Amino acid sequence: MPDNFSGKVAVIQFPGVNCESETVRAVRAAGLESGIFRWNMPPRLLGEALAVILPGGFSYQDRIRAGVVAAKDTIMDKLSDFARDGKPVLGICNGAQVLVEAGFIPGMHWEKIDLALAPNVMSDREGYYCNWVHIRVEGNNCLWMNKYKEGDIIPVPVAHAEGRFVTNDKDIINDIRKNNQIVLRYCTESGDLDSSFPVNPNGSVENAAGICNPQGNVLAMMPHPERASWLRQVPEDISGKWKAKRRNACCRPEKMEEEGPGLAFFASLVKEMVG
Amino acid sequence: MKARAKLWVKLKVTDLVVETAWLTLTEKLEFGDILYGLAKYSCWFMTCEGSDSESIINALDRVISLDSAFTNQNKHKYSLIVEGENRSSGEDGKEGVLRRGDLQPEKDFLFRVEVGSAELYVCDCLVSELESDKDKSYADRLNGRLDGVFVSEMRAGLVWRMIVRADSKDDAAEKVQKMAVTRSRREGLLLNPHYQEFEIISTLNLSERSRV
């Protein structure tokens, strides 16, 4: 575990998260140095990091409400300064829940709670849902997505029980829409928006799968790009344009190690930082 | 006849959600000088129709005591109370009140800090989900199995019991709201108002009764 995060991507490990190692591997595969930053390490070290990722899992066992206890942690004071300085912050799944409960997302009123990631609403079930879905790239105002093009369709897994972006304030949704902050939307394999389950796996407002702050440096996304960073992670029966790539890689180990559909989130950071 | 039924369920062992909430409220959000006690119950409030209170409570008790959607005997204790409309006396002496179970929420006050001479209020705060079909799903679950009893209304949620130092009932309500409703990263913890609602269902001034 590195003690020095200068020039590295810090992946914060709160008690109970479980995707920190996969996330570090995905960042390294994209070409940046990365390490796990335990939540109780000296907060000043976080200031030296190049970027910060809050990975998926169950911080504090999802006690009270997913993400809310981590959102009150001391380390979040430093992360708040970090994000306000315009440095890159990504929250994946539970990390997204932490960013929403901390008021970093949608971020028009910094640290004010304008959104929730509420329990999934699904037509024939309740609780936890885990499956591959398709998401569509909307706009290009988020630095975590500058390797994608508008309209790109990305197959990626979701695995959560509380992933429904929701607000009780219509003005907030209008503002988010106006600012083009919904940068990822659940869609069909051909890119059509369909608000019904399972295309929209949790009933999220506006089919939102990822929302960034107005400056575009902080992104909260429910799907797991680190679980779609190599072709070997993509299921054989995936539909859409990744189907042929995955089929061609079958029984060819060297091909299976090629880039998967989610790696470009981390590669976007390289493009942003290194050019 | 119609009767109101209340089911309160609590863990028999230490509730780690409550422990985490307590530490977060007192240590991270600095409500340590206000909050004196905290507990959590899963609650169901129902309106039932049946021939009499006795048959209603017996039918409910038979189902909820064995259905893990409500209670698990290995880890929960519970209080089931039915308040009938046309009954002259109940089993506990209070008019029209019948009860089952091994939990007595009205006596369940745990102080975590020395009380001293502080003016204390016990506030029970019901947190439930907005636009959720959970209430209907619980009612349907019961109605399929209750013999001769129909649950016509249902409200389910978590009740957080907060013992707070306050100058008045209104002051207590204000402090409880500040601790409960998450408005910002530094304010509130127990619910997110974008999908949950909050109601103080009872407030008791502890100085008006003997302290446990």
Side-chain angles (χ1 to χ4, degrees), chain A residues 17-77:
Chain A
V17 304
N18 57 17
C19 299
E20 65 278 15
S21 297
E22 297 94 314
T23 306
V24 165
R25 276 201 290 274
V27 173
R28 288 177 179 164
L32 287 171
E33 283 192 73
S34 181
I36 293 169
F37 191 104
R38 288 171 62 85
W39 88 106
N40 55 359
M41 288 172 71
R44 64 179 166 75
L45 295 177
L46 198 65
E48 301 168 2
L50 189 70
V52 171
I53 300 178
L54 308 183
F58 303 86
S59 60
Y60 293 94
Q61 213 181 32
D62 280 356
R63 291 177 191 172
I64 305 169
R65 201 167 60 252
V68 71
V69 179
K72 314 290 187 192
D73 258 350
T74 309
I75 192 74
M76 295 301 287
D77 293 339

Side-chain angles (χ1 to χ4, degrees), chain A residues 66-122:
Chain A
V68 71
V69 179
K72 314 290 187 192
D73 258 350
T74 309
I75 192 74
M76 295 301 287
D77 293 339
K78 191 70 188 174
L79 189 60
S80 179
D81 297 340
F82 188 90
R84 293 194 88 166
D85 285 346
K87 295 179 183 171
V89 178
L90 171 64
I92 301 168
C93 195
N94 186 236
Q97 293 161 338
V98 175
L99 293 180
V100 166
E101 288 288 349
F104 294 8
I105 295 292
M108 280 90 76
H109 316 101
W110 194 249
E111 295 194 351
K112 182 172 176 288
I113 309 302
D114 283 333
L115 277 179
L117 278 162
N120 300 346
V121 171
M122 301 174 282

Side-chain angles (χ1 to χ4, degrees), chain B residues 5-10 39-46 69-71 78-79 103 105 124-128 134-135 138 154-161 201:
Chain B
K6 292 187 283 191
L7 171 63
W8 289 52
V9 176
K10 189 184 182 189
K40 174 173 74 64
Y41 309 83
S42 298
C43 291
W44 291 263
F45 301 92
M46 299 165 257
F70 298 95
T71 63
Y78 72 94
S79 158
L103 174 67
D124 286 342
C125 313
L126 175 65
V127 175
S128 51
K134 277 187 184 165
D135 294 352
Y138 281 122
M154 167 72 81
R155 189 174 180 198
L158 282 181
V159 168
W160 288 91
R161 172 163 290 173
I201 55 173

Side-chain angles (χ1 to χ4, degrees), chain A residues 49 54 67 72 86 141 154 166 189 231 261-262:
Chain A
L54 308 183
K72 314 290 187 192
N141 63 336
I154 311 165
V166 67
E189 64 187 66
L231 265 185

Side-chain angles (χ1 to χ4, degrees), chain A:
Chain A
M1 188 185 302
D3 287 325
N4 176 358
F5 277 84
S6 179
K8 292 176 183 160
V9 177
V11 176
I12 298 186
Q13 182 189 31
F14 288 110
V17 304
N18 57 17
C19 299
E20 65 278 15
S21 297
E22 297 94 314
T23 306
V24 165
R25 276 201 290 274
V27 173
R28 288 177 179 164
L32 287 171
E33 283 192 73
S34 181
I36 293 169
F37 191 104
R38 288 171 62 85
W39 88 106
N40 55 359
M41 288 172 71
R44 64 179 166 75
L45 295 177
L46 198 65
E48 301 168 2
L50 189 70
V52 171
I53 300 178
L54 308 183
F58 303 86
S59 60
Y60 293 94
Q61 213 181 32
D62 280 356
R63 291 177 191 172
I64 305 169
R65 201 167 60 252
V68 71
V69 179
K72 314 290 187 192
D73 258 350
T74 309
I75 192 74
M76 295 301 287
D77 293 339
K78 191 70 188 174
L79 189 60
S80 179
D81 297 340
F82 188 90
R84 293 194 88 166
D85 285 346
K87 295 179 183 171
V89 178
L90 171 64
I92 301 168
C93 195
N94 186 236
Q97 293 161 338
V98 175
L99 293 180
V100 166
E101 288 288 349
F104 294 8
I105 295 292
M108 280 90 76
H109 316 101
W110 194 249
E111 295 194 351
K112 182 172 176 288
I113 309 302
D114 283 333
L115 277 179
L117 278 162
N120 300 346
V121 171
M122 301 174 282
S123 56
D124 61 347
R125 64 187 79 194
E126 60 181 37
Y128 191 82
Y129 182 71
C130 176
N131 208 344
W132 280 70
V133 297
H134 290 87
I135 53 177
R136 192 175 79 187
V137 174
E138 312 280 315
N140 57 358
N141 63 336
C142 176
L143 67 80
W144 289 97
M145 290 165 53
N146 61 27
K147 289 278 278 185
Y148 292 105
K149 296 191 299 292
E150 185 163 6
D152 276 354
I153 298 159
I154 311 165
V156 68
V158 290
H160 57 252
E162 291 99 16
R164 177 167 54 103
F165 280 107
V166 67
T167 177
N168 62 7
D169 185 342
K170 282 183 180 163
D171 291 341
I172 292 295
I173 279 296
N174 290 336
D175 289 345
I176 289 173
R177 205 186 289 125
K178 196 172 68 190
N179 297 338
N180 297 318
Q181 288 177 247
I182 303 176
V183 290
L184 294 166
R185 281 193 163 94
Y186 298 110
C187 66
T188 65
E189 64 187 66
S190 53
D192 298 325
L193 295 183
D194 178 350
S195 60
S196 62
F197 180 82
V199 174
N200 181 340
N202 49 40
S204 202
V205 64
E206 301 264 324
N207 278 41
I211 296 181
C212 70
N213 65 342
Q215 294 73 32
N217 63 307
V218 183
L219 171 63
M221 62 184 293
M222 288 310 296
H224 284 266
E226 82 284 6
R227 296 184 193 174
S229 289
W230 290 271
L231 265 185
R232 62 179 145 81
Q233 294 175 305
V234 178
E236 274 187 55
D237 60 351
I238 196 77
S239 51
K241 80 165 196 181
W242 284 87
K243 182 177 183 173
K245 276 191 183 179
R246 177 62 181 82
R247 289 250 165 117
N248 288 339
C250 231
C251 304
R252 297 163 70 189
E254 75 287 355
K255 284 274 181 196
M256 294 286 260
E257 295 305 313
E258 287 184 359
E259 179 177 340
L263 191 68
F265 283 97
F266 307 106
S268 295
L269 188 59
V270 182
K271 187 175 170 187
E272 178 72 21
M273 294 293 141
V274 184

